[in-house]
Structures are given as structure tokens and as C-alpha cells.
Amino acid sequence: MDIYVDSANLNEIYQAKELGLADGVTTNPTLIAKENGNFEEILKNICSEVTGPVHAEVLSLDSDGIVKEGRELAKIADNIVIKIPMLHDGLKAVRILNAEGIKTNVTLVFSAGQAILAAKAGATYVCPFLGRLDDICHDGLELLSSIRTIFVNNPDLECQIIAASIRTPAHVVELASMGVDILTVPSKLLTQLEKHPLTDLGIEQFCKDAEKFKNL
């Protein structure tokens, strides 16, 4: 299982990398806009920081525009993956880019049917959104489980699953138990995974006991 950092902030990515938690990075226009810099330069810096895949999203919604942007983004670095929204023209673009050897990630996937279409189109990755389904009272974990079962039972669908919109440490544990290929996680949630109240109590007691020896 790989863990990606869902961020465009170099400091957050570096901190995750120090802990072995930056097998790759996922970005989107919203995350990059928060960094107040040049779009391409930000991506170049991220690609220099990590050796794994760096997912960069197109802005166009028509197939010609997606293909054009995808080709340009792919020139930034060898580890760039093109993120493409799940729509008809997006799938057309995936087929074209895949034929050219450019890796793609079909994002904003909310059903198993969409995941099948993306994989058949030649997507390298498919990106189901867990938390956003939970927000509307649908079981996001059930969707991830269904997609994984489909891909395992159909090895000709050579597509990896990236679980996105992960909101809680419990989501991370459930997805890891399920055997999902990749989890893309915000840096805030990576920090939450480190914490447990019993760990804090144990450290507090340890420090109190250690002080007794210092005073001897």
C-alpha cells in the first residue's frame, strides 16, 4: 500500500517524506492556488522533492483541451500523472494519452460503473471519493470495496485505485485493511494518525518518572 500526500505545500510534503509517507503526491487547482505561485513552477518543485508520481489536474473539460494540457503537463517531469475528471470527453482523452504513454488518473469517481469505464479507457489510476459520498449518506467504504473486488476479479483491468477524500484515521485503517492500492491523505490527517490519548498519558508518566532520577 502506498500513501500519497494530498497537498501542494512543499513543507507539508517534506515533513511527510521524512516519515516515509510521501510515496507520491496528489494536487488539484485548488491546492495549487493556495500556494500563491506559478502553476508550473509549483509542480516542478514538487516533482523535484519526491521520486514517486505527482498528479497534476487539467483545467479543460473538452477532449482536445484535455489532451493538449495533458501533453504540456507531462513535459514538466517524468513523474507527472495527468488527473482528468470523470466525464465523456475525459475518457476520450484518457485513451489518446494512454496510447502516447502518458499516465492518467481519472478523478471524481463516485460509482463502480465509472471506475470500470475509466479502467477500460486505459487509465493508470482511478480516484473514488470516499468522504464526499459519506457526506450525502452513501457508504464510501462500500464503493471502494466494490471497485477493488471488480479489479481483483478482472486482472485485465490494469488500473490502480487511489482512495481520495479521506476524512478520518478510521478511514485510513479500513482502507488499509481492505487492501486498497493507494491512499491520498491530507497532511493534517497524517498528523492525527500519530496521536492517541493513551500514548500522551504514557509519555506524561514517563517524563514524571524520569524527573525523579534527574533529581538524585
Side-chain angles (χ1 to χ4, degrees):
M1 180 191 71
D2 284 347
I3 291 181
Y4 289 1
V5 189
D6 192 30
S7 175
N9 182 275
L10 277 176
N11 185 52
E12 291 180 351
I13 293 165
Y14 178 75
Q15 289 183 15
K17 180 182 174 183
E18 284 190 309
L19 299 178
L21 299 175
D23 297 306
V25 172
T26 53
T27 71
N28 59 46
T30 302
L31 291 174
I32 292 178
K34 290 179 181 178
E35 300 310 305
N36 297 316
N38 177 272
F39 186 87
E40 187 171 321
E41 285 300 316
I42 290 170
L43 288 172
K44 281 182 179 178
N45 291 334
I46 295 172
C47 290
S48 297
E49 186 63 45
V50 298
T51 56
V54 175
H55 296 244
E57 191 163 351
V58 297
L59 304 179
S60 298
L61 297 179
D62 63 287
S63 59
D64 289 342
I66 293 170
V67 169
K68 181 180 179 181
E69 282 187 53
R71 288 169 178 160
E72 290 302 312
L73 288 170
K75 293 176 184 177
I76 292 174
D78 292 338
N79 53 337
I80 284 280
V81 175
I82 312 305
K83 279 180 75 173
I84 299 171
M86 174 63 216
L87 71 167
H88 182 79
D89 274 36
L91 297 177
K92 288 169 64 177
V94 166
R95 285 189 61 81
I96 295 169
L97 293 172
N98 179 57
E100 297 177 7
I102 297 174
K103 293 181 178 180
T104 58
N105 167 7
V106 174
T107 187
L108 291 173
V109 167
F110 292 98
S111 75
Q114 289 178 327
I116 292 170
L117 291 180
K120 288 295 290 181
T124 316
Y125 307 91
V126 63
C127 205
F129 278 46
L130 169 58
R132 293 194 195 181
L133 279 172
D134 287 353
D135 289 344
I136 59 169
C137 298
H138 286 255
D139 191 337
L141 287 170
E142 183 179 349
L143 171 63
L144 267 296
S145 178
S146 177
I147 294 172
R148 186 179 183 278
T149 299
I150 290 166
F151 284 6
V152 168
N153 290 338
N154 296 273
D156 57 304
L157 298 177
E158 297 178 356
C159 184
Q160 289 189 293
I161 301 168
I162 302 177
S165 188
I166 298 173
R167 302 279 177 80
T168 68
H171 279 163
V172 174
V173 173
E174 289 286 348
L175 292 164
S177 300
M178 196 184 295
V180 171
D181 303 304
I182 302 159
L183 281 56
T184 184
V185 184
S187 61
K188 179 182 177 181
L189 183 52
L190 291 175
T191 301
Q192 290 175 3
L193 283 163
E194 298 177 16
K195 306 295 184 182
H196 194 284
L198 292 179
T199 302
D200 294 339
L201 287 172
I203 291 173
E204 182 181 352
Q205 185 62 51
F206 170 82
C207 291
K208 287 180 180 178
D209 293 338
E211 282 297 320
K212 296 176 185 177
F213 291 101
K214 291 179 182 179
N215 295 327
L216 292 179

